[in-house]
Amino acid sequence: MFSHVMVGVNDLEASKKFYDAVLGTLGVGPGVANRNRYFYRSPSGTFGITTPIDGEAACHGNGSTIGFTVDSAEQGDAFHAAGVANGGTTCEDAPGFREAPAGKLYLAYLRDPDGNKLCALHRPAA
C-alpha cells in the first residue's frame, strides 16, 4: 500500500545518526544522501528523513506512530536501546509483550530526536 514514509527533522545529521543506529538493528544500511534528505531502503519499502522544503521547522504529528516490524523481542529491544543511545527517548510503556484483541504482541516505543513516535512490533507465532 505504501511506497515510502518520510518524516521531517530539524538537525539532519543528528537524525541520520539516530536512524542509522535504529534501522541498522533491522539490517537496513546507513542513510543515502539526496540533497537535504537521507533515504533508508529495504526490500519492503523506503523510509526517509528530510529538513522541510518550505524552510519552516519540522514537527512531529501528535497521535502519529510509525511502526517497524522486528523478527523477535530481542531485535525490538536492540532497536529501542539503539534509539535511546543515539538521541531518542523512551515513551509509552516499557518494551515488552502485551495482550491485544488480535493476540500477543511485542511492542517497543520511542521518540526520535524531533519527537516522531516510532514502534518496533513483533507478532510471535501462535
Side-chain angles (χ1 to χ4, degrees):
M1 178 182 294
F2 304 106
S3 64
H4 66 283
V5 172
M6 177 83 71
V7 297
V9 302
N10 290 302
D11 184 331
L12 193 59
E13 295 308 315
S15 293
K16 180 184 186 306
K17 178 182 175 197
F18 173 87
Y19 282 106
D20 281 359
V22 169
L23 297 179
T25 68
L26 306 181
V28 177
V32 176
N34 180 326
R35 297 182 301 169
N36 61 320
R37 299 179 174 134
Y38 283 101
F39 289 100
Y40 298 85
R41 292 186 172 86
S42 79
S44 60
T46 299
F47 180 81
I49 58 175
T50 185
T51 53
I53 294 171
D54 66 4
E56 297 293 324
C59 61
H60 65 276
N62 188 19
S64 300
T65 302
I66 300 168
F68 293 90
T69 300
V70 295
D71 294 328
S72 65
E74 294 77 18
Q75 190 179 37
D77 287 342
F79 176 97
H80 189 269
V84 171
N86 287 278
T89 56
T90 192
C91 66
E92 304 288 334
D93 294 331
F97 284 97
R98 317 234 196 328
E99 288 297 328
K104 190 175 182 177
L105 300 173
Y106 168 90
L107 301 170
Y109 288 95
L110 69 141
R111 290 193 182 271
D112 75 4
D114 288 286
N116 295 297
K117 189 162 109 177
L118 311 177
C119 178
L121 182 144
H122 171 63
R123 294 180 193 276

